[in-house]
Amino acid sequence: MSSNNETTAPSNFIRQIIDQDLKAGTNDGRVHTRFPPEPNGYLHIGHAKSICLNFGVARDYQGGQCNLRFDDTNPHKENIDYVNAIMEDVKWLGFDWQDRLFYASDYFEKLHDFAIELIKTGKAYVCGLTAEEVREYRGTLTEPGKESPFRARSVEENFDLFARMRAGEFNDGTQVLRARIDMASPNMNMRDPTLYRIRHGVTHHKTGEAWCIYPMYDFTHPVSDALEGITHSLCTLEFEDHRPLYDWVLDNITVDCHPQQIEFSRLNLEYTVMSKRKLTQLVDEGVVSGWDDPRLPTIAGLRRRGYTSSSIRTFCDRIGVTKSDNSVEMGMLEACIREDLDRHAPRAMAVLDPLKLVIENYPEGEGEILSAPNHPKDESMGSREIPFTREIYIDRADFREEASRKYKRMVTGGEVRLRNAYVIRCDQVIKDDEDRIIELRCSYDPDTLGANPVGRKVRGVIHWVSAIHGVPAEVRLYNRLFSHPTPDGDKQMASFLDYLNPDSLKTAQAYVEPSLASAGDGSHLQFEREGYFCLEHNAEAGNGLVFNRTVTLRDSWAKIEQQSKK
Ligand code: ATP
Ligand code: MG
């Protein structure tokens, strides 16, 4: 493989085809791909697979190019906000289309001319069947279709009718332009597919009201690819049956480029939905807070959740590119961000469910500044100051009045180490009228800072935050949005919404160490013993610190799933 970059992605069957093409001298040695999103929603992790593939190929081959092309031929669903969000996400993922930004709508005039060429050669006709009739006439997989009564129209008549379609003389749905191919073809897509339809009363984000006829995807796509000189048109498997039509279009119009369409499998991810229609529904119905809700598999959602672009690229490399459809476990995506953040996220302490602890033998009104390394394995990340005081918070889950030896945290009478600080012992438990623990009274051993006590066994290490210097913060604990691995794959349920996980978002009022008060938006952190978190970009002003949990420290889901299978 001819490679010009150190960050070359792993090979796959598409790269092998390109290698062979280059060897054979096809396309004059050019490699030119494109990523063609429809601006009718935000990009999701499935699109990231396509982006990494298309832009990755362009990056890894000598002279390779990749276009960003908006496939904007459905004006009623598309808008400029989606265009902008898509560009932002592609850039954030680390790819650059440079000066190769295109819109299918730029080709409306040319597409129209090609349609006329097809009319003139008798390869297209204007059909007045209703949508329902068209469906009836199309036949089934086992029965051939019937020819439209309008199929035999003369070239002149078709030319005239198509001109009148464009001029706005007909209502929506009353006329379409169809290719004249073969109503008996075993491939349903070849049974005189629609090339143009009428749409009045919509404003296109680029062409405004200039057009009332719009080309269909199956016509627009091959033409756009050819006009841009694309060599390899990579798309998902559901377009395999459309390939004969793709080739038919290019074989029957005058263009000098005939890109090769190659299909690969879509990415499906467990416990989520990926279709834009369903994502739109979640957003529109307010099930989530927006396209960038951290529970969504959108790029914007993953970014806000705390995913890094490199972890998403790693994921796309790992899942690979094949022809077989499959569903990828969420754990695989989570492993990628966990590995990234384990290496790069500074450590900090945060107490998510605070319980007050008083160290009675520590002098009242005093305190000291301790030092803690920012990363246990990477000294170059430096250290930070953490204030230690007589009153601190620990997490409620780190204390039990009584527990077996297996419980490596704090128990009454037992000793435990405070992370980065002293060994303490719990002497007394204070409860309220309802028998709820409200405070622990403890003592500390001043000789245990950075040293183990002599002759005594310490149960474990727990994290803490000074009650005086700790900063209150809202911590959002995200979980999977759905409680079923394939929420849209179960025909028995009325809707994928029936599988929503009611616990997909829990909020904790936490205390975090004061060093975090100055953390920048989007900072990634490991809250020791809790997981990886990210400082929320979009916190409403005045709300103080808000952290999103990116991922837990370990894959607790693998365990839960194993148990439920037992
Ligand atoms: P949806 O069906 O959810 O509307 P789409 O495929 O219509 O998605 P487009 O904006 O048309 O969305 O997709 C742009 C490109 O991204 C296409 O080439 C498409 O094949 C690819 N793509 C979309 N979803 C996935 C996925 N889940 N896995 C891999 N590639 C995908
Ligand atoms: Mg599409």
Side-chain angles (χ1 to χ4, degrees), residues 308-566:
T308 58
S309 55
S310 84
S311 71
I312 294 175
R313 291 195 303 270
T314 303
F315 173 72
C316 292
D317 281 351
R318 279 190 197 166
I319 55 173
V321 178
T322 68
K323 277 251 180 213
S324 53
D325 261 323
N326 58 350
S327 202
V328 174
E329 285 177 28
M330 190 69 97
M332 229 173 125
L333 178 61
E334 291 174 348
C336 295
I337 186 63
R338 219 176 259 127
E339 284 168 30
D340 184 353
L341 295 180
D342 178 39
R343 246 174 285 141
H344 301 119
R347 273 45 174 174
M349 293 198 285
V351 173
L352 304 193
D353 186 7
L355 171 63
K356 185 172 273 184
L357 186 155
V358 181
I359 301 163
E360 291 185 300
N361 62 339
Y362 196 86
E364 235 165 301
E366 283 183 29
E368 62 196 293
I369 301 292
L370 304 177
S371 167
N374 286 331
H375 196 287
K377 288 169 269 182
D378 186 352
E379 261 181 49
S380 73
M381 288 176 72
S383 61
R384 66 195 190 279
E385 296 183 335
I386 42 173
F388 186 77
T389 48
R390 185 172 194 261
E391 294 191 357
I392 62 173
Y393 291 116
I394 67 163
D395 199 286
R396 214 163 253 289
D398 283 337
F399 176 77
R400 282 189 204 164
E401 285 184 84
E402 285 169 53
S404 72
R405 280 171 169 278
K406 276 198 204 146
Y407 185 73
K408 296 287 180 218
R409 311 177 199 179
M410 189 168 220
V411 294
T412 322
E415 276 189 308
V416 74
R417 175 173 291 283
L418 295 174
R419 178 94 174 131
N420 301 309
Y422 301 96
V423 169
I424 58 168
R425 185 185 64 223
C426 176
D427 302 318
Q428 194 190 353
V429 181
I430 313 290
K431 296 183 179 178
D432 64 10
D433 296 345
E434 281 153 32
D435 213 31
R436 190 178 143 86
I437 301 172
I438 49 171
E439 198 176 291
L440 303 176
R441 300 274 164 88
C442 301
S443 49
Y444 86 119
D445 179 346
D447 297 329
T448 53
L449 190 62
N452 282 326
V454 184
R456 280 144 44 214
K457 210 161 160 54
V458 176
R459 269 179 179 251
V461 183
I462 64 174
H463 60 279
W464 57 277
V465 166
S466 159
I468 295 160
H469 301 282
V471 180
E474 178 181 319
V475 177
R476 297 178 185 162
L477 303 168
Y478 295 103
N479 235 310
R480 292 170 190 195
L481 189 53
F482 293 94
S483 51
H484 192 282
T486 50
D488 47 3
D490 190 337
K491 300 279 176 292
Q492 312 210 304
M493 289 300 236
S495 159
F496 68 106
L497 295 174
D498 295 340
Y499 285 116
L500 279 171
N501 172 10
D503 297 322
S504 61
L505 169 57
K506 286 185 181 160
T507 304
Q509 298 304 326
Y511 283 98
V512 301
E513 57 170 83
S515 68
L516 297 184
S518 56
D521 276 4
S523 302
H524 303 280
L525 298 150
Q526 185 198 89
F527 288 168
E528 293 193 89
R529 301 180 64 235
E530 292 290 359
Y532 295 99
F533 293 78
C534 163
L535 188 59
E536 164 77 10
H537 306 259
N538 299 2
E540 299 77 32
N543 261 17
L545 292 175
V546 177
F547 292 94
N548 292 321
R549 182 171 69 196
T550 311
V551 69
T552 52
L553 286 179
R554 272 168 290 276
D555 187 358
S556 47
W557 268 81
K559 240 189 269 164
I560 293 168
E561 269 165 33
Q562 254 171 12
Q563 275 163 4
S564 68
K565 277 176 195 157
K566 266 181 202 162

Side-chain angles (χ1 to χ4, degrees), residues 190-241:
M190 299 299 270
R191 295 185 186 174
D192 291 10
T194 302
L195 303 178
Y196 265 89
R197 66 202 187 297
I198 302 171
R199 279 232 187 274
H200 288 285
V202 282
T203 307
H204 188 280
H205 75 105
K206 282 198 68 108
T207 59
E209 267 124 59
W211 293 86
C212 66
I213 54 171
Y214 288 95
M216 301 297 287
Y217 174 87
D218 279 331
F219 182 53
T220 311
H221 206 76
V223 171
S224 308
D225 280 349
L227 291 175
E228 291 172 19
I230 301 303
T231 56
H232 299 84
S233 177
L234 314 177
C235 63
T236 40
L237 276 178
E238 68 271 24
F239 291 102
E240 198 165 17
D241 288 347

Side-chain angles (χ1 to χ4, degrees), residues 15 31 81 83 117 121 157 184 200 262 275 283 295 306 484 519:
R15 286 173 183 249
V31 178
D81 295 335
V83 167
E117 181 181 355
T121 54
E157 201 182 348
H200 288 285
I262 309 171
S275 113
V283 173
R295 291 165 295 181
H484 192 282

Side-chain angles (χ1 to χ4, degrees), residues 34-51 54 69 71 77 86 217 221 234-239 264-269 274-279 319:
R34 86 285 170 270
F35 172 64
E38 181 176 357
N40 63 347
Y42 276 53
L43 297 181
H44 53 60
I45 183 84
H47 292 115
K49 174 177 178 175
S50 177
I51 292 168
N54 281 295
R69 181 201 313 141
D71 175 28
K77 287 201 255 165
I86 289 170
Y217 174 87
H221 206 76
L234 314 177
C235 63
T236 40
L237 276 178
E238 68 271 24
F239 291 102
F264 63 95
S265 67
R266 283 181 96 76
L267 166 65
N268 298 304
L269 197 56
M274 214 94 91
S275 113
K276 269 191 266 184
R277 189 177 59 75
K278 290 182 180 129
L279 293 172
I319 55 173

Side-chain angles (χ1 to χ4, degrees), residues 250-270:
L250 296 180
D251 287 341
N252 286 283
I253 60 173
T254 313
V255 278
D256 21 322
C257 171
H258 192 135
Q260 181 184 0
Q261 175 178 310
I262 309 171
E263 308 85 17
F264 63 95
S265 67
R266 283 181 96 76
L267 166 65
N268 298 304
L269 197 56
E270 288 187 344

